[in-house]
Amino acid sequence: HKRAIKNREKFSGCTVHFVNEKVDGGKIILQKKVKILQNDDVQTLSNRILQKEHKIYPKALNQIASNMIRLKN
């Protein structure tokens, strides 16, 4: 989050993905974009992203449990 703010990015966000041998390299299940506000600091941005993570994580698990999404070999 610090880097995104420092680089004056317009958006950050969160991703739920399958885990593989690469960092953040697994197949994406769900993502959510979060706008970086002008007055954001690391904590405020982190808090807003965490709220989105709490929403998409159970949705991703439900998709996996319902066989709506699978990791293809």
Side-chain angles (χ1 to χ4, degrees):
H1 307 309
K2 183 178 180 180
R3 186 174 5 155
I5 292 170
K6 180 182 175 188
N7 291 340
R8 299 181 187 264
E9 301 288 342
K10 294 183 184 201
F11 294 95
S12 188
C14 53
T15 303
V16 178
H17 60 85
F18 288 103
V19 175
N20 65 12
E21 64 281 349
K22 298 178 185 176
V23 175
D24 295 336
K27 179 180 175 184
I28 294 172
I29 302 167
L30 289 173
Q31 288 183 310
K32 192 68 174 178
K33 227 186 335 186
V34 176
K35 184 172 178 149
I36 299 175
L37 305 176
Q38 190 173 15
N39 62 341
D40 266 334
D41 59 26
V42 172
Q43 191 61 54
T44 59
L45 178 58
S46 178
N47 289 343
R48 284 201 333 282
I49 291 172
L50 187 60
Q51 289 175 356
K52 300 294 183 184
E53 287 175 340
H54 287 170
K55 290 181 180 181
I56 69 170
Y57 191 77
K59 287 180 182 180
L61 290 175
N62 187 48
Q63 287 182 10
I64 295 166
S66 301
N67 289 321
M68 293 172 61
I69 187 167
R70 295 182 194 198
L71 179 61
K72 294 181 182 173
N73 295 333

